[in-house]
Amino acid sequence: MEKPTVALVYQAVQALYHDPDPAGKERASVWLGELQRSMYAWEMADQLLQLKQDVESCYFAAQTMKMKIQMSFFELPPETHIALRDSLLSHIQSLKDLSPIIVTQLALAIADLALQMASWKGCVHTLIEKYSNDVSSMTFLIEILTVLPEEVHSRSLRIGANRRTEIIEDLAYYSSTVVTLLMTCVEKSGSNEKMLIKVFRCLGSWFNLGVLDSNFMANNQLLMVLFQVLQRDETSTNLHEAASDCVCSALYAIENVDTHMPLALQLFQGVLTLETAYHMAVAREDLDKVLNYCRIFTELCETFLETTVRSPGQGMGDLRTLELLLICAGHPQYEVVEISFNFWYRLGENLYKTNDPALHGIFRPYIQRLLHGLARHCQLDPDHEGIPEDTDDFGEFRMRVSDLVKDVIFLVGSMECFSQLYSTLKEGNPPWEVTEAVLFIMAAIAKSVDPENNPTLTEVLEQVVLLPETVHIAVRYTSIELVGEMSEVVDRNPRFLAPLYVTDPVLNYLMKGLREKTLASVAAKAIHNICSVCRDHMAQHFQGLLDIARALDSFALTTEAAVGLLKGTALVLARLPLEKIAECLSDLCAVQVMALKKDPRNGKAADPTVWLDRLAVIFRHTNPIVENGQTHPCQKVIQEIWPVLSETLNTHQADNRIVERCCRCLRFAVRCVGKGSASLLQPLVTQMVSVYQVYPHSCFLYLGSILVDEYGMEEGCRQGLLDMLQALCMPTFQLLEQTNGLRNHPDTVDDLFRLATRFVQRSPITLLSSGIIVHIIQCAIAATTLDHRDANCSVMKFVRDLIHTGVSNDHEDDFDLRKQLIGQAMGQHGQQLVTQLMHTCCFCLPPYTLPDVAEVLWEIMVFDRPTFCRWLESALKGLPKETSGGAVTVTHKQLTDFHKQVTSAEECKQVCWAIREFTRLFR
């Protein structure tokens, strides 16, 4: 782009905000984006801020400044840094009254500059000295002091651990000066609400960074002001939220209670004084304040969790903290209790680990009261019509309740709780919404109750399946869910399924549900559960299941429920006698195969994914036990179905979604019969390769990896599989070599290296002796920089497994040849690989990928330690030693220490720890 005039930039900003034509807006947006990426952005932004024409142009300029400092600070020569700083400070002062969002953007720009500009020493001190005596500068000074601690850990700034440590020490040194300034602001501004909100936001920001001195804070007036604001009934919503956020930040900052005793005590006592204010907010029906108090009470409990478990009822282990949460659980709005869920999970986890019955006894009554409250919150409205919704907010809340109940039920005892719930239904005559909620909680814990010789469970099941059709539809819905969750009980009491029982109570009850539109899907899920758990007992009902499967589309099922029913049917099918399986499988597949064969109506091919998914689930779960030498009973059926699948694949070869489902179906068919699919190998590979040349769908690479896994050990198949790999690699490399090819096609990268890895595992010599291996290794080295979880994992696994074949002497005859071939490959690519990996983990990859990188480096080192030491030294020499802001990124000692830690490591996890620490220097 050529250098634009400031008038042209201003015109583009006007178009962005005011052009009535959307195409004009879009053009302006693209052009301004290009400007922001160019070198001219610095000067243009500076000039727009000087002109101060209107809010829009100043906001664009301020945001551009912030972006450039965050992303492109390296563009500026060091001698311009001071001028940039002075210019930004002058802009924020002259624009302070124009708009708060502009002040925030400029404050962020100044903070990001201060963090990167090593020559700006003691920035907090300079700013306070320069502006604290001028009341009109207070708003932007506090804004800068708020965002500065927030930006220290910003993902956008790669300032490195050394610089970060230096900054944090600097901020800690000046922290009490900042708090004193904030207190002075409060005293001067009296009850100015806007200023108080700014002060609390700023204080919270410093608490979050963890640099405030807790002794100093414990005796500070600001803490008293905070609690006074929270105790006052007339505090406005915005101020209340800011004060609540600040207290939560303070509580989070003292998580390690023992090292912050004086402040911990002040906060503990302060929060306990808020109970009355909570009740007042409830009385005034002020939900915003109620939610704020519940957040504070939850944060208090989270902070003092370990103290509470260690010394319940004593000092700061005071159980009044739990009382506060149970008071919140009593609030009629479910959103209030939901805030505390994470704490109850953690409490349950802590008590489960300590496994001390006396301790469990202390907390049991609290959990009982919680469960009681949760059961009440799960009740639907008395005037609710239809079934419970799963997908709305309340449905999601109930799912979270179900998860929480499963996690804490051990403290109360599953059986005891189940019996109590059942007795409330048996003895009383509660309204339908209470019955439904009780059944819902029973369904959550049913699986954790021991089903052995349990008369209560069998009685519950007997009663539930006798529920009349006249009860509320939601009660029937949840009772069906409960039956599905009690499949273990059905398995222990096969009389429930016995055909001698003329009515066959359980299946009969579920069949009634299946025939009703609103209950069909939940009934299908329950039948699926029973089939999965009671596979042997259900074999006698296979004909009934087959009838359901044939008429699947006459029931009002969701796609997921229909597939689940077929899965259950396939699991039962696998338990039939071997001689019956082929015929029954053929019957089960017939409906789907017929649908795929149907001539497409009105010239437009029908969408076959429904039928392909159903076939896939049948093949996936029909896994009979076949002895060696026996022909697999599914082999004949799959051979008969192959032409239909092949035809479907041909017809829809341009459609990635359909091809993916086809490949998935073929994958499970091949897995189902294993070596029994040999007759498909030739035609399948031929078709895959020919379609892939025109439409490179990555699922073909995945299917290829399945074929290599099944047949790679067969001597007669290896050359054919290698030909397949080479034929698939050519279009793949062309795709990935395009501009941004790796980033735009992560699925292709993932599947290509799954295929290559399977080759390494099944037939390493075939691959290592071929000409294609060089290209695959080069592609892998390039792809190590890809920040995509699955793709990166596949690449690393390929490189690790490849080198490992030259390390693991598994007493195979070909070990010496493997070692020699790996040696040649490493001689050719080793240095490049190690250099790329070091660069990648310092600059490209997120921390969660580092264990994979460590495994690769470990394998290279085990293969040839002396050479690896040289490669690593050379790679480390190439890393930058300081940032563009003049801060030291890595010292010579840190480099030599890291080299020593890695090269003297005794196990892989030591390499991983060393990399984790080292890469923090570049983040």
Side-chain angles (χ1 to χ4, degrees), residues 166-178:
E166 184 188 335
I167 290 161
I168 291 172
E169 285 170 1
D170 196 46
L171 294 183
Y173 183 75
Y174 290 112
S175 61
S176 44
T177 317
V178 173

Side-chain angles (χ1 to χ4, degrees), residues 275 301 318-329 344 366 369:
E275 187 183 336
C301 289
D318 193 328
L319 294 172
R320 276 185 298 168
T321 55
L322 297 191
E323 287 292 346
L324 288 173
L325 284 195
L326 289 173
I327 291 170
C328 292
W344 295 111
Y366 292 94
R369 284 163 61 194

Side-chain angles (χ1 to χ4, degrees), residues 350-402:
N350 245 293
L351 292 170
Y352 188 77
K353 282 178 186 163
T354 47
N355 195 13
D356 171 351
L359 194 60
H360 289 190
I362 294 172
F363 289 96
R364 183 171 297 120
Y366 292 94
I367 300 295
Q368 279 169 329
R369 284 163 61 194
L370 173 70
L371 293 175
H372 186 76
L374 291 174
R376 200 178 56 254
H377 278 298
C378 283
Q379 289 173 19
L380 298 160
D381 285 335
D383 56 359
H384 177 92
E385 291 180 0
I387 61 170
E389 284 297 330
D390 282 349
T391 49
D392 62 3
D393 288 347
F394 185 55
E396 285 179 8
F397 166 74
R398 287 183 19 135
M399 293 292 51
R400 288 192 66 198
V401 168
S402 175

Side-chain angles (χ1 to χ4, degrees), residues 401-419:
V401 168
S402 175
D403 291 341
L404 178 58
V405 169
K406 288 182 175 89
D407 279 4
V408 297
I409 194 66
F410 72 92
L411 283 161
V412 179
S414 316
M415 189 57 228
E416 190 185 327
C417 185
F418 198 83
S419 303

Side-chain angles (χ1 to χ4, degrees), residues 152-386:
V152 170
H153 292 291
S154 160
R155 292 264 175 94
S156 324
L157 297 177
R158 299 188 76 102
I159 54 178
N162 287 335
R163 174 68 180 154
R164 203 168 277 118
T165 305
E166 184 188 335
I167 290 161
I168 291 172
E169 285 170 1
D170 196 46
L171 294 183
Y173 183 75
Y174 290 112
S175 61
S176 44
T177 317
V178 173
V179 175
T180 308
L181 171 78
L182 295 177
M183 193 58 223
T184 312
C185 272
V186 174
E187 286 162 355
K188 281 185 183 167
S189 63
S191 55
N192 177 337
E193 186 183 301
K194 278 189 173 166
M195 185 49 87
L196 270 180
I197 290 174
K198 283 184 180 302
V199 166
F200 291 159
R201 268 195 59 221
C202 186
L203 182 61
S205 172
W206 286 74
F207 268 127
N208 285 336
L209 190 61
V211 292
L212 294 179
D213 180 290
S214 49
N215 293 334
F216 176 75
M217 283 312 300
N219 306 310
N220 194 278
Q221 284 292 108
L222 260 183
L223 218 53
M224 283 174 60
V225 176
L226 257 181
F227 284 110
Q228 281 164 3
V229 164
L230 288 168
Q231 283 156 357
R232 271 206 306 271
D233 182 33
E234 60 276 14
T235 298
S236 75
T237 306
N238 289 346
L239 181 56
H240 197 275
E241 184 169 7
S244 303
D245 288 344
C246 187
V247 171
C248 288
S249 297
L251 286 164
Y252 186 76
I254 58 156
E255 191 99 66
N256 192 349
V257 176
D258 299 338
T259 57
H260 298 285
M261 263 318 182
L263 179 56
L265 192 59
Q266 290 294 332
L267 288 168
F268 186 83
Q269 290 167 343
V271 175
L272 288 180
T273 64
L274 300 177
E275 187 183 336
T276 317
Y278 168 82
H279 288 300
M280 186 54 106
V282 174
R284 293 205 187 282
E285 297 188 359
D286 189 336
L287 185 59
D288 289 332
K289 284 188 181 175
V290 167
L291 292 167
N292 285 336
Y293 289 124
C294 188
R295 279 197 299 134
I296 294 172
F297 298 156
T298 303
E299 203 60 66
L300 177 78
C301 289
E302 295 246 18
T303 294
F304 292 97
L305 172 62
E306 286 181 14
T307 317
T308 312
V309 172
R310 199 170 54 225
S311 48
Q314 297 161 29
M316 286 187 273
D318 193 328
L319 294 172
R320 276 185 298 168
T321 55
L322 297 191
E323 287 292 346
L324 288 173
L325 284 195
L326 289 173
I327 291 170
C328 292
H331 191 279
Q333 298 279 2
Y334 70 84
E335 293 89 345
V336 180
V337 68
E338 194 169 17
I339 290 172
S340 64
F341 278 15
N342 191 52
F343 164 73
W344 295 111
Y345 276 124
R346 283 185 58 203
L347 176 65
E349 195 179 28
N350 245 293
L351 292 170
Y352 188 77
K353 282 178 186 163
T354 47
N355 195 13
D356 171 351
L359 194 60
H360 289 190
I362 294 172
F363 289 96
R364 183 171 297 120
Y366 292 94
I367 300 295
Q368 279 169 329
R369 284 163 61 194
L370 173 70
L371 293 175
H372 186 76
L374 291 174
R376 200 178 56 254
H377 278 298
C378 283
Q379 289 173 19
L380 298 160
D381 285 335
D383 56 359
H384 177 92
E385 291 180 0

Side-chain angles (χ1 to χ4, degrees), residues 688-689 692 700-701 723-732 755:
M688 279 164 58
V689 167
Y692 192 78
F700 286 127
L701 300 171
D723 293 343
M724 171 193 78
L725 173 69
Q726 289 175 318
L728 293 173
C729 272
M730 287 313 145
T732 306
L755 169 56

Side-chain angles (χ1 to χ4, degrees), residues 24 39 59 128 149 170 217 305 347 598 614 783 816 871-872:
M39 275 293 289
Y59 176 70
I128 291 178
D170 196 46
M217 283 312 300
L305 172 62
L347 176 65
K598 261 188 198 157
R614 290 180 184 181
D816 290 335
W871 287 340
L872 182 61

Side-chain angles (χ1 to χ4, degrees), residues 422-430:
Y422 178 50
S423 65
T424 58
L425 298 182
K426 199 160 83 166
E427 289 154 20
N429 185 16

